[in-house]
Amino acid sequence: MRTPGLLALLLTLLAPVNAATADARSVGSIKGIVLDEAGTGVADATITATRDDGRQNLDKSDASGAFTLSDLPPGSYVLEVWREHFDVSVVTVQVGASTSVSDLRITLYA
């Protein structure tokens, strides 16, 4: 009978789709703002998020200093934030599955 073979084939073909869907739901994000010493938003700051396995995500702050790093797998991230004429700021952040770190405030000093 061919039914068990067909069922096995269908399960094999559908397994990657289910895994991809599960991965899409298990990502988080980091949202924040980059400020100077006076509390003013710093535009065009570079934010590099390096995960504990070495993967990196990059973003730039907008005109108000805001940034968002999306689609981050769960893990510990070291954020390095820099802009010309400022010292580098380093922050460690933990991202969980389907969670966001929001309202992160990073201050750069001249």
Side-chain angles (χ1 to χ4, degrees):
M1 204 171 183
R2 294 183 185 200
T3 304
L6 181 59
L7 180 61
L9 176 62
L10 286 174
L11 290 175
T12 302
L13 292 174
L14 292 177
V17 172
N18 290 336
T21 303
D23 287 344
R25 288 188 307 245
S26 65
V27 296
S29 64
I30 301 170
K31 296 179 183 183
I33 188 166
V34 181
L35 305 168
D36 64 13
E37 297 171 79
T40 304
V42 177
D44 296 321
T46 300
I47 300 96
T48 304
T50 305
R51 199 170 115 180
D52 47 12
D53 66 1
R55 287 193 227 171
Q56 291 187 329
N57 292 71
L58 300 171
D59 195 22
K60 287 255 191 194
S61 61
D62 66 14
S64 67
F67 68 91
T68 301
L69 295 158
S70 301
D71 300 325
L72 301 174
S76 180
Y77 289 84
V78 174
L79 271 60
E80 292 183 2
V81 183
W82 66 274
R83 172 82 161 80
E84 189 175 10
H85 306 295
F86 290 94
D87 292 333
V88 174
S89 183
V90 179
V91 178
T92 301
V93 177
Q94 187 69 34
V95 174
S98 304
T99 61
S100 295
V101 174
S102 57
D103 299 325
L104 183 63
R105 298 171 68 86
I106 300 171
T107 302
L108 296 180
Y109 296 93

